[in-house]
Amino acid sequence: MALMTGDQYRESIRKMHMTSRVYIGGEKISDPLDHPVVIPAQNTAAMTYELAHDPEYEALMTAYSPYIDDKVNRFTHIYQNIDDMVNKVKMARMLGQKTATCFQRCTTLDTANALFIVTYRMDKALGTEYHQRFLAFLKEMQENDYHLGVAMTDAKGDRSLRPTQQDDPDMWLHIVEEKSDGVVIRGAKTSQTGSANAHYTFVAPTAGLRKGEEDYAVAAAVPSNAEGLYHIYGRNPGDDRKHEPDLMDMGNPRFSSQEILLVFDDVFVPWEKVFLCREVEWAGMIPFLFGANHRQTYGGCKAGVSDVLIGATKLIAEYTGIDKLPHIRDKITDMVVLTETIYSCGLATALEGEKLETGSYFVNQLLGNVCKLNVAELPFKIARLAVDVAGGILGDAPGGKDLKSPEIGKFVDKYLKGVAGVPTENRMRLIYLVQSLLFGFNSVGYVVESLHGAGPPQAQKSSLYRLTDWEHKKNLAKDIAGIKD
Amino acid sequence: MALMTGDQYRESIRKMHMTSRVYIGGEKISDPLDHPVVIPAQNTAAMTYELAHDPEYEALMTAYSPYIDDKVNRFTHIYQNIDDMVNKVKMARMLGQKTATCFQRCTTLDTANALFIVTYRMDKALGTEYHQRFLAFLKEMQENDYHLGVAMTDAKGDRSLRPTQQDDPDMWLHIVEEKSDGVVIRGAKTSQTGSANAHYTFVAPTAGLRKGEEDYAVAAAVPSNAEGLYHIYGRNPGDDRKHEPDLMDMGNPRFSSQEILLVFDDVFVPWEKVFLCREVEWAGMIPFLFGANHRQTYGGCKAGVSDVLIGATKLIAEYTGIDKLPHIRDKITDMVVLTETIYSCGLATALEGEKLETGSYFVNQLLGNVCKLNVAELPFKIARLAVDVAGGILGDAPGGKDLKSPEIGKFVDKYLKGVAGVPTENRMRLIYLVQSLLFGFNSVGYVVESLHGAGPPQAQKSSLYRLTDWEHKKNLAKDIAGIKD
Amino acid sequence: MALMTGDQYRESIRKMHMTSRVYIGGEKISDPLDHPVVIPAQNTAAMTYELAHDPEYEALMTAYSPYIDDKVNRFTHIYQNIDDMVNKVKMARMLGQKTATCFQRCTTLDTANALFIVTYRMDKALGTEYHQRFLAFLKEMQENDYHLGVAMTDAKGDRSLRPTQQDDPDMWLHIVEEKSDGVVIRGAKTSQTGSANAHYTFVAPTAGLRKGEEDYAVAAAVPSNAEGLYHIYGRNPGDDRKHEPDLMDMGNPRFSSQEILLVFDDVFVPWEKVFLCREVEWAGMIPFLFGANHRQTYGGCKAGVSDVLIGATKLIAEYTGIDKLPHIRDKITDMVVLTETIYSCGLATALEGEKLETGSYFVNQLLGNVCKLNVAELPFKIARLAVDVAGGILGDAPGGKDLKSPEIGKFVDKYLKGVAGVPTENRMRLIYLVQSLLFGFNSVGYVVESLHGAGPPQAQKSSLYRLTDWEHKKNLAKDIAGIKD
Amino acid sequence: MALMTGDQYRESIRKMHMTSRVYIGGEKISDPLDHPVVIPAQNTAAMTYELAHDPEYEALMTAYSPYIDDKVNRFTHIYQNIDDMVNKVKMARMLGQKTATCFQRCTTLDTANALFIVTYRMDKALGTEYHQRFLAFLKEMQENDYHLGVAMTDAKGDRSLRPTQQDDPDMWLHIVEEKSDGVVIRGAKTSQTGSANAHYTFVAPTAGLRKGEEDYAVAAAVPSNAEGLYHIYGRNPGDDRKHEPDLMDMGNPRFSSQEILLVFDDVFVPWEKVFLCREVEWAGMIPFLFGANHRQTYGGCKAGVSDVLIGATKLIAEYTGIDKLPHIRDKITDMVVLTETIYSCGLATALEGEKLETGSYFVNQLLGNVCKLNVAELPFKIARLAVDVAGGILGDAPGGKDLKSPEIGKFVDKYLKGVAGVPTENRMRLIYLVQSLLFGFNSVGYVVESLHGAGPPQAQKSSLYRLTDWEHKKNLAKDIAGIKD
């Protein structure tokens, strides 16, 4: 069977010996799995393996793959029906609830399903063999239960210039050499959520390309320990707190995401892992399809994180005796409305999906973009409501060391107490959980990524404008208004 | 077969001889079907019959009913599966697109499905025979392809007082006499959208009731021409324009809704049409279930009306040459986002529905309320965007008589012209369509009803608060924060 | 003294014999002052005269003019200090409160102050005599207590084309002939609020102009009864109700605005009334300065109309016994917040104004645009809150004829009753007042004009972008971030 | 002259020897002025002294005090006219611009002006001598150029219980003993922004009090080094970064706020520093007046911080070449609109203030609350726009150590580069500035405090409801609707 346990997953990553590849704080890390900044991110990724063995979640976390005729982790699955897409959203929400952060592995699923389609169509149109290559890798991925990142967002330099117009030709990742057995690529991909926890990374163009930009048209799978690959950890807000996980000040002491600047310093990729090479007219379809797919996912995962935030906010209200106030009830209910709205958009994106000529299914692209535009806005409203209910103490509560201080711990314990029967520490833990979600290291997932993940809102609007059937709407209006052309 | 054509429907209403029952402008109307205020409302209701015979829409508009073993209009259908609930939303959107107003008949479906459940449960719990009565009426309704209104919103007088505390005991509809063959009811139901176009009206309590309020606990089916029933037309904004339908000034010259103050001046209802009688503890379940169901419907119908508004706005932008401006494109795309958001909520409410012990299916109540809360807010945003794009001329364009005036028609034609090739009249027709939707007689459906239909937002919030599983969310937060109770 | 009474004002307009110039419903109107569509608009304009004689409002409504050394109506006043600009906003709010609609005369003040500056600067720069001409007209205006409209918004045809690129050269008003004693102009100005109630209309360009567009650069004062001038009334939503002012259905039975398509069919203007002629480089400054000035005014007048809407909404809540509910109190308080926000912006625009080299004062242009952007958004939120509180009956209450009907009046009276002690009619009157403000003829002023008056939001954003001192803000950020260029 | 320099201020605080009073991370701090967490907070407070000597800002930063017949720092000034209140807002904006954080001293001004009035009125009504005591302290404060915190927010325990109903009677600060020479007080005040940088702290009730709660009614001035007083630093998001100020990762390396849990463990206050003692009926007036005053201040200071954020966002857009995109221009302009809106509210609150019977002036309380409600909402919108423009890199950029790393610094420098000519470091510094403002230690001031400072929004709504003249608005509506009572 193709399902790893959490420990097997951790071991598989450790075996990759990425020692010489991972940098934190400017320094090479000997074993990332033992580093306090990495541990919670690893824990989170591992949950995608662990829960696949949990009887309660097994049905949601796994699927039958016809490609290897076996049960696979849903994160490596190609959609076979509408339910598969519905279940992806449900799985994402559940994992968001269990980790309160980004679990980093949906990129595997969201990219694989896009590449499945694009390579199929390229082979049909061009007589290439990309789809066969991709299927081979898909089987490897499913059989080995891979976690894959997706390296899409280029450094981009001056955004008003095309890739070939940049002072530095490496600002968009590109092919620097073509060999008999493969290609050499150079460039960097930013905000790489999963890469250091992943076995492989999908490399793909970040946007549509034009004639003359052939070198920039490349899609491939690259192992995380490839020669020339550098994982440079970014700094998340509040990340220093990870160094003292025993304190409550982390808020979420077990789980976090991680984001990385992924540098490809002349990385060689053999042909069998290359899925697009210089076909500029097909380059844009990968991020376009990935985008719709990934934008839907957020309707699940961010709703799951919201659930945790709502629960924390409700508890804080109860712990301070304000939960019965009408305006507090209204505000917490509003948080539910906003959360279920993004979830509904995710579900509808699945429900309105369709079977393609590839044999696989795909989400409704228009609704996927609608989903993401809501995700890009509503968590900010949810966040504001949480701050409102949680109170000003959210930004300035004393911390774990204060509570444990022999000298002033008694004051903290006494004066941060809320209603009778609830230990002060519990209230403080929830305050730090909310702080972590809105202003700490997990705010990157909940707030920044909600806006920018799978592209910023303007990218979604642009997609939506293209996907909308304006003629249909115009004809409806003409019919009602009695206009005959 | 149980499907009437549009003409058969009209004839069936005409035959009911409601002459003595319908008042417009304070005066008795001889034949409502010939009255200019009623005609567009009739046209709209008739569309629910006509499209059931249209091959393009037949599958959406009809369903197989096991209760009469025949094809029925979907508006009379009891949900047999998830698809039935999905299709209701799709049908509602399509009819919103075809009429750009409220088609008035979803009350039939939304109430029947609630009564089906409540009467089933009452019989199980109380040993009553309400479900059998209801099934008998359901068959009659399906076989005769009825259009039914739902009379739920009581006059209510002083809202801070319970029904029995009112100065006037009739402010909530109640049983004034119980006879051997039935009950006599008195009161009034406001904002009755469908009643004058309906064969029957479902009467039901507007809210939960308490001990001592037994007289107010009554549900029944009453024919629209019952003795003692008065249909008093309300005044919609801009309704006077209906008197000159040949002018473009109506905006939507064929379709409208209608709202009525429905007075029950001692109306007798035979027992076989009574589905609840004095069981106060069951009274609230009817509006509660109807509410969730009806709140979902808005995710379809209002999205359909929005589609027309979007089409009209896009055309106006094209007709004035501004459609390529980035901010205009953004605004029209935003209209799409908002529209698809409410639609997604409607679909998700269906998808997350479930099979009940009754054998029938029911929508996800929590999501139904979420859907409606979005409907209660987003159309106002859509409306503002439409006003922004359409321009100030929306509120003050010269009208049809001006365009046709021998003296100044030339000026109107010359100066209201937009881009080359588009007749001025077309631009004017669209301006009046938008005016009608946002400020005219159809604004009641699109704006006011979006907020208040199936109860105002606070009613949805109150339902949501009850339906949310707070313990689950709190436990999620405790688990993440490391709190052990 | 230069102050007319309301009756003197009416008489002065009647004397202008505009019989052959005013069209309503495509027909020439014999005496506009007797026409039911015009009467409430006249009543409103007359209030700007009447209140100047009211001891309570005299100080606000009048000012001392050094130009004629006499007390003048503030609507004809050139700002002499900061207080003058503050008082304009306060006067506007008070008149909004007294009329609940657009009183149409602020165009006089807002344009005069812009022309005062532009003509002054032109004379300085070009050696022209426009300022002297303007001062002469200003004295005439002040001495005769004129009401002036401002004809700025051109028909514009295809908005993607410049004036000279249009198929029809008349789509922007332009000079068609230059004579020894003046110029002949042709074109049309849309959405002319005040023109038919005004003695004169200021004609001015609607936007900046370029070389080659000299014919389109013209500013002038034209009497409302000029030969070749046509006032074509536009259709406001719900305007038909004006024909039965004795019914409560008008909502606001005494006051309304009016909007007109003003056609200049070769109108001659003598040189002494011409204030700009072909100087394209100065054309844009008139709408730019007028814009900032007029955008500020809305901070007052729309706040005043909001006050009436808030009062009506609060009363409706009280009349139905819901005013003590926390969510209702919150919503009505929110209406106050939004209203005072736009008012605060209006006041700040005055407070941050400055003395110019012209000797006159001018508002802070940046804040004037900020003010208008809030006006373009917040009334929509206020409107939604009003609909929420007022209830669904807002769109479908029976009307005056129903209440008075011998047959069914008793039902309407009985069932629309709210709390004890308040006549049903009072509740209905308020419902119709709110309907009128949000969906009836006064919605044009409160909703459409709030968005489009003095240009649509994008025009304000464009102005703001130009007016903002970006370098200052960038330097602040660099200083904080420790960046040394 | 009564004006200290920045260094004199620092020295004056150092002299207070608060060694035994200040705790950070649960440990006693030897000299707070040398602690990295305190230094930037001290720097900020010192700016209120330094700029008073800067010729450019002297007029704004100082005022003439009749009480000591000398020039004083404006932060110690009692309003003598409208301009004083306008200038407070302008001073606050300027200081926000110069520090991009909370400068902590406005509590001095805002409380002093409230106490001036309340003590005056108490003496008039009760024949007490509080005003004389307060005047004596006011002179001391002005002559010594004090910085005062305001200790208002009690710990409060179970918010659903009154002070006397709490399990622990100390949850609201109260008098535990009355001596011949003064009172002894116990309790804690949370979220104390200025206390550890202040010479004194004003203690005042947090809300209105009732009969039976006399012990809780106390207002006084307490020196920051009083026996029994403990300053326990709270943890701000991202505060650990302060330990490496040489890195760019702090974002704002020089300035921060600080918040403290201030414990009064039986602190003695001599009578001459007591301004309210057991007069429960007057207790609520202090926070009520302070509230309006302080709520106005936010219209200035948060606008100033926004200016820095706008500048940083604009620069980031320029540095990546996206600043010309229409949607980026729109978003940055929207940031300006929101910023100027809160500023306008602050100014209007001053302009509409009035002279009181006390001889001093006071802000318009209603508008002060409106101002704060906007402050409690708009920065969240500004924040979202900044995140949108700044890009996803905001949450995960590599930091200073990465840039300086001998091994991978070259990659960071190469791939985080934007447009030509701008060093990568500059872009990174701005990213960290924005991160600091929205998610780092300064987010407490910009986001959390904007919502909760001077009380949460519901407190403002409650005040507003009381301050609104509902009768006036209702009468306006009745007059328009033709209702005669």
Side-chain angles (χ1 to χ4, degrees), chain B residues 391-394 396-398 411-412 414-417 427, chain C residues 150-157 159 171 173 187-195 206 230 232 234 258-264 452:
Chain B
I393 198 82
L394 183 61
D396 58 27
F411 291 136
V412 174
K414 174 186 175 80
Y415 287 115
L416 259 63
K417 186 108 172 54
R427 184 181 169 218
Chain C
V150 59
M152 214 167 259
T153 309
D154 284 298
K156 289 208 284 282
R159 273 76 172 162
M171 296 314 279
L173 183 140
K189 299 284 189 171
T190 66
S191 301
Q192 288 308 301
T193 303
S195 73
T206 194
Y230 294 83
I232 301 171
Q258 60 173 6
E259 288 79 27
I260 280 159
L261 175 66
L262 190 61
V263 176
F264 294 76
H452 285 289

Side-chain angles (χ1 to χ4, degrees), chain A residues 19-58:
Chain A
T19 308
S20 59
R21 300 279 161 261
V22 175
Y23 288 79
I24 298 180
E27 293 180 7
K28 199 179 292 184
I29 300 307
S30 59
D31 189 338
L33 274 83
D34 299 330
H35 194 284
V37 166
V38 182
I39 289 168
Q42 269 284 338
N43 288 343
T44 314
M47 286 291 270
T48 69
Y49 291 89
E50 290 170 13
L51 292 173
H53 297 276
D54 183 325
E56 190 176 348
Y57 304 111
E58 188 186 354

Side-chain angles (χ1 to χ4, degrees), chain D residues 209-343:
Chain D
L209 294 170
R210 303 175 187 167
K211 279 219 168 300
E213 299 170 345
E214 283 74 12
D215 287 348
Y216 295 88
V218 59
V222 176
S224 299
N225 60 357
E227 184 71 28
L229 199 63
Y230 294 83
H231 302 259
I232 302 171
Y233 267 72
R235 295 221 65 184
N236 297 151
D239 49 5
D240 303 274
R241 300 233 177 132
K242 290 182 174 178
H243 295 279
E244 295 184 310
D246 53 320
L247 291 177
M248 68 185 66
D249 309 35
M250 271 184 75
N252 182 345
R254 282 176 297 154
F255 301 115
S256 83
S257 183
Q258 58 172 7
E259 288 78 26
I260 279 160
L261 175 66
L262 190 62
V263 177
F264 294 77
D265 192 35
D266 292 353
V267 172
F268 171 76
V269 190
W271 286 122
E272 62 267 26
K273 295 284 194 287
V274 174
F275 311 126
L276 174 91
C277 183
R278 304 190 191 279
E279 296 84 355
V280 285
E281 66 276 27
W282 293 88
M285 194 185 284
I286 302 174
F288 196 64
L289 290 182
F290 165 77
N293 208 5
H294 200 49
R295 288 160 192 175
Q296 177 211 27
T297 306
Y298 289 124
C301 64
K302 299 313 175 202
V305 180
S306 286
D307 286 327
V308 177
L309 180 59
I310 293 168
T313 306
K314 183 74 160 62
L315 280 170
I316 289 175
E318 290 178 9
Y319 288 179
T320 47
I322 60 172
D323 58 303
K324 298 278 189 299
L325 293 174
H327 77 94
I328 296 293
R329 285 176 57 143
D330 258 22
K331 283 165 186 165
I332 299 179
T333 305
D334 282 342
M335 294 173 77
V336 173
V337 175
L338 297 164
T339 298
E340 300 296 341
T341 297
I342 60 175
Y343 184 56

Side-chain angles (χ1 to χ4, degrees), chain A residues 123-275:
Chain A
D123 286 8
K124 285 277 172 201
L126 309 175
T128 49
E129 56 178 28
Y130 292 127
H131 195 57
Q132 286 318 304
R133 286 185 195 169
F134 179 76
L135 282 180
F137 182 68
L138 175 67
K139 289 175 192 173
E140 178 188 338
M141 177 173 86
Q142 292 185 333
E143 281 161 358
N144 293 285
D145 205 6
Y146 282 166
H147 177 309
L148 271 97
V150 58
M152 214 167 258
T153 309
D154 284 298
K156 288 209 285 283
D158 184 337
R159 276 76 172 159
S160 68
L161 303 176
R162 300 292 310 171
T164 54
Q165 298 170 323
Q166 304 282 336
D167 274 6
D168 178 345
D170 305 339
M171 295 315 280
W172 297 52
L173 183 142
H174 61 128
I175 300 167
V176 288
E177 189 184 356
E178 193 169 321
K179 299 186 168 182
S180 60
D181 52 350
V183 294
V184 178
I185 57 180
R186 188 190 302 156
K189 298 285 188 170
T190 66
S191 302
Q192 288 309 301
T193 304
S195 72
N197 288 332
H199 305 89
Y200 267 81
T201 283
F202 283 125
V203 175
T206 195
L209 295 168
R210 305 177 186 166
K211 280 220 169 297
E213 301 170 342
E214 284 73 12
D215 288 348
Y216 295 89
V218 60
V222 175
S224 300
N225 59 358
E227 184 70 28
L229 199 63
Y230 294 83
H231 303 258
I232 301 172
Y233 267 72
R235 297 221 64 184
N236 296 150
D239 49 4
D240 302 274
R241 300 232 177 134
K242 288 182 174 179
H243 294 278
E244 293 183 311
D246 51 321
L247 291 178
M248 68 186 66
D249 312 33
M250 270 185 75
N252 182 346
R254 282 177 297 156
F255 301 115
S256 82
S257 184
Q258 60 173 7
E259 287 78 27
I260 279 159
L261 176 67
L262 192 61
V263 176
F264 294 76
D265 192 35
D266 291 354
V267 172
F268 172 75
V269 192
W271 285 122
E272 60 268 26
K273 295 284 194 285
V274 174
F275 311 126

Side-chain angles (χ1 to χ4, degrees), chain C residues 35-172:
Chain C
H35 193 283
V37 166
V38 181
I39 289 168
Q42 270 283 337
N43 288 342
T44 314
M47 286 292 270
T48 69
Y49 291 89
E50 289 169 15
L51 292 173
H53 296 277
D54 184 324
E56 190 176 348
Y57 303 110
E58 188 186 352
L60 202 55
M61 293 295 301
T62 61
Y64 167 77
S65 170
Y67 308 103
I68 64 167
D69 187 22
D70 201 353
K71 187 159 81 167
V72 295
N73 191 299
R74 188 175 295 283
F75 281 105
T76 67
H77 187 53
I78 299 298
Y79 305 134
Q80 302 299 311
N81 48 52
I82 295 285
D83 276 355
D84 274 347
M85 299 185 289
V86 170
N87 282 331
K88 181 187 74 167
V89 181
K90 295 191 174 186
M91 172 177 71
R93 184 164 188 172
M94 185 272 288
L95 277 162
Q97 293 177 335
K98 294 287 182 193
T99 61
T101 190
C102 170
F103 38 84
Q104 309 153 44
R105 201 179 175 194
C106 56
T107 46
T108 318
L109 173 66
D110 292 340
T111 319
N113 277 278
L115 284 173
F116 186 92
I117 297 163
V118 180
T119 55
Y120 179 96
R121 290 178 177 168
M122 288 178 71
D123 286 8
K124 285 277 173 203
L126 310 176
T128 48
E129 57 177 27
Y130 291 127
H131 194 56
Q132 286 317 307
R133 284 185 196 169
F134 179 73
L135 282 180
F137 181 67
L138 175 68
K139 289 175 191 172
E140 177 188 339
M141 179 174 84
Q142 292 187 334
E143 280 160 358
N144 293 286
D145 204 6
Y146 282 165
H147 177 308
L148 270 99
V150 59
M152 214 167 259
T153 309
D154 284 298
K156 289 208 284 282
D158 184 338
R159 273 76 172 162
S160 69
L161 303 176
R162 299 290 313 170
T164 54
Q165 297 169 324
Q166 305 282 336
D167 276 5
D168 178 346
D170 304 338
M171 296 314 279
W172 295 52

Side-chain angles (χ1 to χ4, degrees), chain D residues 3 13 28 59 79 95 138 259 306 321 338 351 381 420-421 425:
Chain D
L3 297 174
I13 294 293
K28 200 180 290 184
Y79 305 134
L95 278 163
L138 176 68
E259 288 78 26
S306 286
L338 297 164
L351 181 66
K381 295 187 177 180
E425 182 180 325

